[in-house]
Amino acid sequence: MASVTLEVEVASQFPAERVFKVFSDFDNIAPKVNPQVFKSIETTEGNGDVGTIKIFTFGDGVPFTTGKYKVDAVDPSNYSYSYSFIEGDNLFGILNSINHHIKVVPSPDGGSVYKQTVIYNCKGDEKPSEEILKKEKELYENTYKAIEAYAVAHPEAY
């Protein structure tokens, strides 16, 4: 089985602890700051720990409508979080799953770097097109920036 890996990195002026805290509230913030992509995110099983199942309903800004995701790992002390999309039309009919590994790395200047590795696990030889990968990377970067801007506007919460 083939796979394709996409790497996303965004530098932040905020410390890793704060960035991770904001991203821990992704389910609430993402539909507010990027409703054209994230219409709603609902936990259907679990409490946020490993094994938790969430259903994403996507907005009109993307060419898919739903995705089911499972939390694979949560490590607040290392500012890392992993999850996999395991069902839904966001798998484009050609993928078994999409694994996301997020890590917020502290920078020497007191800021941090948001790193997201996305692995597209293909059913066969067909892979997502370069155009899809480019759009996905932009989506991840823009979502990160929108969530960070939300945190700046709501400092009391984060």
Side-chain angles (χ1 to χ4, degrees), residues 51-145:
T52 294
I53 302 289
K54 300 182 182 193
I55 303 293
F56 276 55
T57 303
F58 296 103
D60 297 335
V62 290
F64 36 82
T65 57
T66 61
K68 182 177 186 179
Y69 115 175
K70 179 173 68 89
V71 177
D72 298 322
V74 182
D75 186 353
S77 61
N78 285 308
Y79 314 118
S80 67
Y81 184 82
S82 298
Y83 62 94
S84 299
F85 277 103
I86 52 174
E87 284 177 26
D89 60 353
N90 65 324
L91 299 178
F92 302 109
I94 62 168
L95 302 171
N96 283 322
S97 62
I98 306 171
N99 306 117
H100 293 255
H101 305 284
I102 294 170
K103 182 153 178 65
V104 184
V105 181
S107 302
D109 64 2
S112 60
V113 180
Y114 171 84
K115 296 184 176 192
Q116 184 170 359
T117 302
V118 185
I119 302 166
Y120 299 84
N121 300 298
C122 306
K123 287 181 179 177
D125 293 332
E126 191 179 354
K127 298 177 181 177
S129 69
E130 287 300 317
E131 183 185 350
I132 286 173
L133 295 174
K134 183 176 181 239
K135 284 183 178 174
E136 291 258 305
K137 184 171 183 170
E138 286 173 7
L139 184 150
Y140 298 131
E141 290 170 349
N142 291 340
T143 299
Y144 174 84
K145 290 171 185 168

